[in-house]
Amino acid sequence: MTTNTMSAGSAAAGVDSRRTTTRALLAGAAAGPLFLVVAAAQVLTRDGYDLSRQPLSLLALGDLGWIQIANFVLTGLLALAGAVGLRRTLRGESSGTWGPALIAVHGLGLVIGGVLVSDPSMGWPAGAPEGTPDTLSWHAIGHGVGAGLAFGSLPIACLVFARTWWRAGQRGWAAYSLGSALAVVAILAWPDQDTLSVRMALACVVTFGWLTALCARPLTR
């Protein structure tokens, strides 16, 4: 094999690697918009559903529950792909290990939350108890674990990247990342149970917006 042939092979491998990384980052950037659009369409069209009382996770129940189940799982897989793209892009940087790992935990949590559905409650689906169940099924407990991983990992990732960007002098990105983490904590910690489902949806908007910006950022550099 000649030197030119070896060089051409290395160049082709490099191009393929960059293409794979780009596709992974695009997948990660698409995760949030996909989830929010599909969820919003269901909120607007599923008869009897009321976001002011019923969290988005309850959309996984009922005759059309498979739509939200697929939404959770596909969004989680896209986030996992984004984590791979970020790991390859940020290799060697201070946030290159923990940052992508936390994004992967987020994706895994979404997949778990989709596969393991919550129990009927808050009047959804039709005929369900109006309040919360006195006891939880094993899959509802699993759904809670998945939700905890998904909601808990991204604010921590925000802080990881905020620290890195602040040290690198990228104060705008650092402020955006820190602000996103603080906003999610404030939204979810607000002591008003009557607005919890709306606040959880708003937290999704903040976290998914940040994830989209994070995965799109390397593509514009």
Side-chain angles (χ1 to χ4, degrees), residues 118-151:
S118 56
D119 291 329
S121 62
M122 310 304 293
W124 184 267
E130 287 298 325
T132 57
D134 294 331
T135 59
L136 297 177
S137 64
W138 65 271
H139 51 82
I141 294 173
H143 179 86
V145 171
L149 292 174
F151 273 110

PDB file of all heavy atoms in Angstrom, residues 118-151:
ATOM      1  N   SER A 118     -46.957   5.768  33.891  1.00  0.00           N
ATOM      2  CA  SER A 118     -47.507   6.096  35.203  1.00  0.00           C
ATOM      3  C   SER A 118     -48.900   5.496  35.366  1.00  0.00           C
ATOM      4  O   SER A 118     -49.492   4.979  34.408  1.00  0.00           O
ATOM      5  CB  SER A 118     -47.553   7.612  35.380  1.00  0.00           C
ATOM      6  OG  SER A 118     -48.299   8.209  34.332  1.00  0.00           O
ATOM      7  N   ASP A 119     -49.434   5.563  36.567  1.00  0.00           N
ATOM      8  CA  ASP A 119     -50.771   5.051  36.843  1.00  0.00           C
ATOM      9  C   ASP A 119     -51.833   6.096  36.481  1.00  0.00           C
ATOM     10  O   ASP A 119     -51.572   7.300  36.543  1.00  0.00           O
ATOM     11  CB  ASP A 119     -50.909   4.717  38.334  1.00  0.00           C
ATOM     12  CG  ASP A 119     -50.063   3.527  38.732  1.00  0.00           C
ATOM     13  OD1 ASP A 119     -49.854   2.635  37.892  1.00  0.00           O
ATOM     14  OD2 ASP A 119     -49.614   3.506  39.900  1.00  0.00           O
ATOM     15  N   PRO A 120     -53.036   5.647  36.114  1.00  0.00           N
ATOM     16  CA  PRO A 120     -54.132   6.599  35.876  1.00  0.00           C
ATOM     17  C   PRO A 120     -54.369   7.462  37.116  1.00  0.00           C
ATOM     18  O   PRO A 120     -54.370   6.958  38.248  1.00  0.00           O
ATOM     19  CB  PRO A 120     -55.323   5.688  35.594  1.00  0.00           C
ATOM     20  CG  PRO A 120     -54.719   4.415  35.093  1.00  0.00           C
ATOM     21  CD  PRO A 120     -53.446   4.253  35.858  1.00  0.00           C
ATOM     22  N   SER A 121     -54.561   8.751  36.912  1.00  0.00           N
ATOM     23  CA  SER A 121     -54.785   9.664  38.032  1.00  0.00           C
ATOM     24  C   SER A 121     -55.257  11.006  37.500  1.00  0.00           C
ATOM     25  O   SER A 121     -55.281  11.225  36.279  1.00  0.00           O
ATOM     26  CB  SER A 121     -53.502   9.860  38.852  1.00  0.00           C
ATOM     27  OG  SER A 121     -52.488  10.438  38.055  1.00  0.00           O
ATOM     28  N   MET A 122     -55.628  11.897  38.386  1.00  0.00           N
ATOM     29  CA  MET A 122     -56.041  13.250  38.032  1.00  0.00           C
ATOM     30  C   MET A 122     -57.131  13.275  36.960  1.00  0.00           C
ATOM     31  O   MET A 122     -57.203  14.175  36.136  1.00  0.00           O
ATOM     32  CB  MET A 122     -54.825  14.065  37.559  1.00  0.00           C
ATOM     33  CG  MET A 122     -53.623  14.017  38.493  1.00  0.00           C
ATOM     34  SD  MET A 122     -54.017  14.545  40.183  1.00  0.00           S
ATOM     35  CE  MET A 122     -54.381  16.266  39.908  1.00  0.00           C
ATOM     36  N   GLY A 123     -57.958  12.213  36.942  1.00  0.00           N
ATOM     37  CA  GLY A 123     -59.058  12.158  35.989  1.00  0.00           C
ATOM     38  C   GLY A 123     -58.666  11.753  34.584  1.00  0.00           C
ATOM     39  O   GLY A 123     -59.480  11.866  33.658  1.00  0.00           O
ATOM     40  N   TRP A 124     -57.441  11.268  34.405  1.00  0.00           N
ATOM     41  CA  TRP A 124     -57.000  10.832  33.063  1.00  0.00           C
ATOM     42  C   TRP A 124     -56.394   9.445  33.132  1.00  0.00           C
ATOM     43  O   TRP A 124     -55.573   9.186  34.009  1.00  0.00           O
ATOM     44  CB  TRP A 124     -55.977  11.806  32.491  1.00  0.00           C
ATOM     45  CG  TRP A 124     -55.575  11.442  31.093  1.00  0.00           C
ATOM     46  CD1 TRP A 124     -54.512  10.669  30.726  1.00  0.00           C
ATOM     47  CD2 TRP A 124     -56.237  11.808  29.892  1.00  0.00           C
ATOM     48  NE1 TRP A 124     -54.466  10.535  29.368  1.00  0.00           N
ATOM     49  CE2 TRP A 124     -55.518  11.227  28.826  1.00  0.00           C
ATOM     50  CE3 TRP A 124     -57.377  12.554  29.598  1.00  0.00           C
ATOM     51  CZ2 TRP A 124     -55.905  11.383  27.504  1.00  0.00           C
ATOM     52  CZ3 TRP A 124     -57.748  12.713  28.283  1.00  0.00           C
ATOM     53  CH2 TRP A 124     -57.018  12.132  27.249  1.00  0.00           C
ATOM     54  N   PRO A 125     -56.788   8.563  32.174  1.00  0.00           N
ATOM     55  CA  PRO A 125     -57.830   8.783  31.148  1.00  0.00           C
ATOM     56  C   PRO A 125     -59.232   8.767  31.760  1.00  0.00           C
ATOM     57  O   PRO A 125     -59.367   8.677  32.985  1.00  0.00           O
ATOM     58  CB  PRO A 125     -57.615   7.603  30.194  1.00  0.00           C
ATOM     59  CG  PRO A 125     -57.009   6.541  31.049  1.00  0.00           C
ATOM     60  CD  PRO A 125     -56.162   7.246  32.075  1.00  0.00           C
ATOM     61  N   ALA A 126     -60.237   8.857  30.915  1.00  0.00           N
ATOM     62  CA  ALA A 126     -61.613   8.946  31.395  1.00  0.00           C
ATOM     63  C   ALA A 126     -61.916   7.804  32.364  1.00  0.00           C
ATOM     64  O   ALA A 126     -61.610   6.640  32.086  1.00  0.00           O
ATOM     65  CB  ALA A 126     -62.583   8.915  30.211  1.00  0.00           C
ATOM     66  N   GLY A 127     -62.497   8.158  33.517  1.00  0.00           N
ATOM     67  CA  GLY A 127     -62.825   7.164  34.526  1.00  0.00           C
ATOM     68  C   GLY A 127     -61.759   6.979  35.580  1.00  0.00           C
ATOM     69  O   GLY A 127     -61.977   6.251  36.561  1.00  0.00           O
ATOM     70  N   ALA A 128     -60.592   7.619  35.412  1.00  0.00           N
ATOM     71  CA  ALA A 128     -59.514   7.493  36.394  1.00  0.00           C
ATOM     72  C   ALA A 128     -59.851   8.301  37.643  1.00  0.00           C
ATOM     73  O   ALA A 128     -60.640   9.244  37.593  1.00  0.00           O
ATOM     74  CB  ALA A 128     -58.206   7.986  35.784  1.00  0.00           C
ATOM     75  N   PRO A 129     -59.265   7.945  38.794  1.00  0.00           N
ATOM     76  CA  PRO A 129     -59.484   8.732  40.016  1.00  0.00           C
ATOM     77  C   PRO A 129     -59.092  10.192  39.807  1.00  0.00           C
ATOM     78  O   PRO A 129     -58.162  10.502  39.049  1.00  0.00           O
ATOM     79  CB  PRO A 129     -58.565   8.047  41.036  1.00  0.00           C
ATOM     80  CG  PRO A 129     -58.354   6.667  40.495  1.00  0.00           C
ATOM     81  CD  PRO A 129     -58.374   6.800  39.009  1.00  0.00           C
ATOM     82  N   GLU A 130     -59.783  11.094  40.487  1.00  0.00           N
ATOM     83  CA  GLU A 130     -59.520  12.517  40.323  1.00  0.00           C
ATOM     84  C   GLU A 130     -58.219  12.951  40.988  1.00  0.00           C
ATOM     85  O   GLU A 130     -57.583  13.898  40.543  1.00  0.00           O
ATOM     86  CB  GLU A 130     -60.686  13.332  40.892  1.00  0.00           C
ATOM     87  CG  GLU A 130     -61.937  13.292  40.031  1.00  0.00           C
ATOM     88  CD  GLU A 130     -61.699  13.879  38.643  1.00  0.00           C
ATOM     89  OE1 GLU A 130     -60.906  14.842  38.520  1.00  0.00           O
ATOM     90  OE2 GLU A 130     -62.285  13.358  37.679  1.00  0.00           O
ATOM     91  N   GLY A 131     -57.826  12.269  42.037  1.00  0.00           N
ATOM     92  CA  GLY A 131     -56.595  12.622  42.721  1.00  0.00           C
ATOM     93  C   GLY A 131     -55.452  11.707  42.331  1.00  0.00           C
ATOM     94  O   GLY A 131     -55.473  11.058  41.277  1.00  0.00           O
ATOM     95  N   THR A 132     -54.443  11.664  43.185  1.00  0.00           N
ATOM     96  CA  THR A 132     -53.308  10.770  42.954  1.00  0.00           C
ATOM     97  C   THR A 132     -53.576   9.430  43.631  1.00  0.00           C
ATOM     98  O   THR A 132     -54.262   9.372  44.652  1.00  0.00           O
ATOM     99  CB  THR A 132     -52.018  11.380  43.521  1.00  0.00           C
ATOM    100  OG1 THR A 132     -52.214  11.654  44.914  1.00  0.00           O
ATOM    101  CG2 THR A 132     -51.679  12.674  42.802  1.00  0.00           C
ATOM    102  N   PRO A 133     -53.043   8.330  43.094  1.00  0.00           N
ATOM    103  CA  PRO A 133     -53.284   7.000  43.695  1.00  0.00           C
ATOM    104  C   PRO A 133     -52.692   6.892  45.097  1.00  0.00           C
ATOM    105  O   PRO A 133     -51.661   7.496  45.395  1.00  0.00           O
ATOM    106  CB  PRO A 133     -52.583   6.049  42.725  1.00  0.00           C
ATOM    107  CG  PRO A 133     -52.407   6.820  41.457  1.00  0.00           C
ATOM    108  CD  PRO A 133     -52.247   8.243  41.865  1.00  0.00           C
ATOM    109  N   ASP A 134     -53.349   6.136  45.939  1.00  0.00           N
ATOM    110  CA  ASP A 134     -52.833   5.904  47.293  1.00  0.00           C
ATOM    111  C   ASP A 134     -51.578   5.039  47.261  1.00  0.00           C
ATOM    112  O   ASP A 134     -50.668   5.202  48.079  1.00  0.00           O
ATOM    113  CB  ASP A 134     -53.903   5.237  48.158  1.00  0.00           C
ATOM    114  CG  ASP A 134     -55.096   6.154  48.410  1.00  0.00           C
ATOM    115  OD1 ASP A 134     -54.897   7.388  48.423  1.00  0.00           O
ATOM    116  OD2 ASP A 134     -56.209   5.632  48.571  1.00  0.00           O
ATOM    117  N   THR A 135     -51.544   4.100  46.320  1.00  0.00           N
ATOM    118  CA  THR A 135     -50.363   3.253  46.146  1.00  0.00           C
ATOM    119  C   THR A 135     -49.959   3.285  44.680  1.00  0.00           C
ATOM    120  O   THR A 135     -50.800   3.498  43.793  1.00  0.00           O
ATOM    121  CB  THR A 135     -50.642   1.798  46.569  1.00  0.00           C
ATOM    122  OG1 THR A 135     -51.737   1.276  45.781  1.00  0.00           O
ATOM    123  CG2 THR A 135     -51.006   1.746  48.044  1.00  0.00           C
ATOM    124  N   LEU A 136     -48.694   3.067  44.413  1.00  0.00           N
ATOM    125  CA  LEU A 136     -48.163   3.106  43.055  1.00  0.00           C
ATOM    126  C   LEU A 136     -47.797   1.713  42.582  1.00  0.00           C
ATOM    127  O   LEU A 136     -47.283   0.897  43.342  1.00  0.00           O
ATOM    128  CB  LEU A 136     -46.930   4.006  42.982  1.00  0.00           C
ATOM    129  CG  LEU A 136     -47.137   5.486  43.305  1.00  0.00           C
ATOM    130  CD1 LEU A 136     -45.802   6.214  43.265  1.00  0.00           C
ATOM    131  CD2 LEU A 136     -48.120   6.123  42.328  1.00  0.00           C
ATOM    132  N   SER A 137     -48.051   1.445  41.307  1.00  0.00           N
ATOM    133  CA  SER A 137     -47.629   0.193  40.695  1.00  0.00           C
ATOM    134  C   SER A 137     -46.123   0.221  40.477  1.00  0.00           C
ATOM    135  O   SER A 137     -45.479   1.279  40.548  1.00  0.00           O
ATOM    136  CB  SER A 137     -48.343  -0.006  39.359  1.00  0.00           C
ATOM    137  OG  SER A 137     -47.957   1.010  38.443  1.00  0.00           O
ATOM    138  N   TRP A 138     -45.550  -0.935  40.198  1.00  0.00           N
ATOM    139  CA  TRP A 138     -44.109  -1.006  39.975  1.00  0.00           C
ATOM    140  C   TRP A 138     -43.685  -0.186  38.769  1.00  0.00           C
ATOM    141  O   TRP A 138     -42.619   0.448  38.763  1.00  0.00           O
ATOM    142  CB  TRP A 138     -43.666  -2.459  39.810  1.00  0.00           C
ATOM    143  CG  TRP A 138     -44.242  -3.132  38.579  1.00  0.00           C
ATOM    144  CD1 TRP A 138     -45.416  -3.814  38.495  1.00  0.00           C
ATOM    145  CD2 TRP A 138     -43.668  -3.147  37.270  1.00  0.00           C
ATOM    146  NE1 TRP A 138     -45.622  -4.276  37.216  1.00  0.00           N
ATOM    147  CE2 TRP A 138     -44.561  -3.879  36.433  1.00  0.00           C
ATOM    148  CE3 TRP A 138     -42.506  -2.632  36.716  1.00  0.00           C
ATOM    149  CZ2 TRP A 138     -44.314  -4.086  35.074  1.00  0.00           C
ATOM    150  CZ3 TRP A 138     -42.249  -2.844  35.369  1.00  0.00           C
ATOM    151  CH2 TRP A 138     -43.148  -3.559  34.569  1.00  0.00           C
ATOM    152  N   HIS A 139     -44.546  -0.162  37.732  1.00  0.00           N
ATOM    153  CA  HIS A 139     -44.158   0.601  36.541  1.00  0.00           C
ATOM    154  C   HIS A 139     -44.304   2.101  36.774  1.00  0.00           C
ATOM    155  O   HIS A 139     -43.575   2.901  36.177  1.00  0.00           O
ATOM    156  CB  HIS A 139     -44.952   0.146  35.311  1.00  0.00           C
ATOM    157  CG  HIS A 139     -46.429   0.105  35.486  1.00  0.00           C
ATOM    158  ND1 HIS A 139     -47.221   1.221  35.375  1.00  0.00           N
ATOM    159  CD2 HIS A 139     -47.267  -0.925  35.769  1.00  0.00           C
ATOM    160  CE1 HIS A 139     -48.487   0.880  35.575  1.00  0.00           C
ATOM    161  NE2 HIS A 139     -48.553  -0.422  35.811  1.00  0.00           N
ATOM    162  N   ALA A 140     -45.248   2.500  37.633  1.00  0.00           N
ATOM    163  CA  ALA A 140     -45.363   3.916  37.969  1.00  0.00           C
ATOM    164  C   ALA A 140     -44.143   4.377  38.765  1.00  0.00           C
ATOM    165  O   ALA A 140     -43.633   5.488  38.570  1.00  0.00           O
ATOM    166  CB  ALA A 140     -46.638   4.176  38.758  1.00  0.00           C
ATOM    167  N   ILE A 141     -43.650   3.505  39.663  1.00  0.00           N
ATOM    168  CA  ILE A 141     -42.427   3.824  40.403  1.00  0.00           C
ATOM    169  C   ILE A 141     -41.253   3.949  39.433  1.00  0.00           C
ATOM    170  O   ILE A 141     -40.434   4.880  39.531  1.00  0.00           O
ATOM    171  CB  ILE A 141     -42.142   2.747  41.463  1.00  0.00           C
ATOM    172  CG1 ILE A 141     -43.241   2.769  42.538  1.00  0.00           C
ATOM    173  CG2 ILE A 141     -40.766   2.960  42.094  1.00  0.00           C
ATOM    174  CD1 ILE A 141     -43.144   1.641  43.537  1.00  0.00           C
ATOM    175  N   GLY A 142     -41.177   3.021  38.474  1.00  0.00           N
ATOM    176  CA  GLY A 142     -40.126   3.093  37.465  1.00  0.00           C
ATOM    177  C   GLY A 142     -40.225   4.351  36.632  1.00  0.00           C
ATOM    178  O   GLY A 142     -39.204   4.966  36.280  1.00  0.00           O
ATOM    179  N   HIS A 143     -41.456   4.748  36.308  1.00  0.00           N
ATOM    180  CA  HIS A 143     -41.648   5.986  35.552  1.00  0.00           C
ATOM    181  C   HIS A 143     -41.122   7.179  36.347  1.00  0.00           C
ATOM    182  O   HIS A 143     -40.479   8.078  35.788  1.00  0.00           O
ATOM    183  CB  HIS A 143     -43.127   6.184  35.240  1.00  0.00           C
ATOM    184  CG  HIS A 143     -43.413   7.445  34.485  1.00  0.00           C
ATOM    185  ND1 HIS A 143     -43.337   7.519  33.103  1.00  0.00           N
ATOM    186  CD2 HIS A 143     -43.761   8.693  34.911  1.00  0.00           C
ATOM    187  CE1 HIS A 143     -43.629   8.749  32.713  1.00  0.00           C
ATOM    188  NE2 HIS A 143     -43.890   9.474  33.790  1.00  0.00           N
ATOM    189  N   GLY A 144     -41.386   7.171  37.665  1.00  0.00           N
ATOM    190  CA  GLY A 144     -40.886   8.247  38.509  1.00  0.00           C
ATOM    191  C   GLY A 144     -39.368   8.299  38.544  1.00  0.00           C
ATOM    192  O   GLY A 144     -38.770   9.380  38.533  1.00  0.00           O
ATOM    193  N   VAL A 145     -38.751   7.125  38.558  1.00  0.00           N
ATOM    194  CA  VAL A 145     -37.287   7.072  38.527  1.00  0.00           C
ATOM    195  C   VAL A 145     -36.769   7.659  37.213  1.00  0.00           C
ATOM    196  O   VAL A 145     -35.817   8.456  37.195  1.00  0.00           O
ATOM    197  CB  VAL A 145     -36.793   5.624  38.701  1.00  0.00           C
ATOM    198  CG1 VAL A 145     -35.289   5.530  38.446  1.00  0.00           C
ATOM    199  CG2 VAL A 145     -37.120   5.123  40.101  1.00  0.00           C
ATOM    200  N   GLY A 146     -37.405   7.267  36.100  1.00  0.00           N
ATOM    201  CA  GLY A 146     -36.996   7.799  34.807  1.00  0.00           C
ATOM    202  C   GLY A 146     -37.156   9.307  34.738  1.00  0.00           C
ATOM    203  O   GLY A 146     -36.270  10.020  34.247  1.00  0.00           O
ATOM    204  N   ALA A 147     -38.285   9.809  35.248  1.00  0.00           N
ATOM    205  CA  ALA A 147     -38.515  11.252  35.256  1.00  0.00           C
ATOM    206  C   ALA A 147     -37.480  11.971  36.112  1.00  0.00           C
ATOM    207  O   ALA A 147     -36.986  13.050  35.745  1.00  0.00           O
ATOM    208  CB  ALA A 147     -39.924  11.548  35.761  1.00  0.00           C
ATOM    209  N   GLY A 148     -37.139  11.361  37.249  1.00  0.00           N
ATOM    210  CA  GLY A 148     -36.126  11.961  38.102  1.00  0.00           C
ATOM    211  C   GLY A 148     -34.773  12.050  37.417  1.00  0.00           C
ATOM    212  O   GLY A 148     -34.066  13.071  37.528  1.00  0.00           O
ATOM    213  N   LEU A 149     -34.407  10.992  36.699  1.00  0.00           N
ATOM    214  CA  LEU A 149     -33.143  11.017  35.952  1.00  0.00           C
ATOM    215  C   LEU A 149     -33.168  12.074  34.856  1.00  0.00           C
ATOM    216  O   LEU A 149     -32.194  12.817  34.666  1.00  0.00           O
ATOM    217  CB  LEU A 149     -32.878   9.641  35.335  1.00  0.00           C
ATOM    218  CG  LEU A 149     -32.573   8.500  36.305  1.00  0.00           C
ATOM    219  CD1 LEU A 149     -32.483   7.177  35.555  1.00  0.00           C
ATOM    220  CD2 LEU A 149     -31.282   8.764  37.066  1.00  0.00           C
ATOM    221  N   ALA A 150     -34.280  12.145  34.133  1.00  0.00           N
ATOM    222  CA  ALA A 150     -34.389  13.082  33.012  1.00  0.00           C
ATOM    223  C   ALA A 150     -34.378  14.526  33.487  1.00  0.00           C
ATOM    224  O   ALA A 150     -33.671  15.380  32.926  1.00  0.00           O
ATOM    225  CB  ALA A 150     -35.656  12.798  32.209  1.00  0.00           C
ATOM    226  N   PHE A 151     -35.173  14.819  34.519  1.00  0.00           N
ATOM    227  CA  PHE A 151     -35.267  16.190  35.006  1.00  0.00           C
ATOM    228  C   PHE A 151     -34.048  16.589  35.851  1.00  0.00           C
ATOM    229  O   PHE A 151     -33.674  17.754  35.862  1.00  0.00           O
ATOM    230  CB  PHE A 151     -36.536  16.369  35.845  1.00  0.00           C
ATOM    231  CG  PHE A 151     -37.744  16.732  35.041  1.00  0.00           C
ATOM    232  CD1 PHE A 151     -38.773  15.833  34.876  1.00  0.00           C
ATOM    233  CD2 PHE A 151     -37.862  17.976  34.447  1.00  0.00           C
ATOM    234  CE1 PHE A 151     -39.900  16.151  34.140  1.00  0.00           C
ATOM    235  CE2 PHE A 151     -38.977  18.321  33.712  1.00  0.00           C
ATOM    236  CZ  PHE A 151     -40.009  17.416  33.548  1.00  0.00           C
TER     237      PHE A 151
END
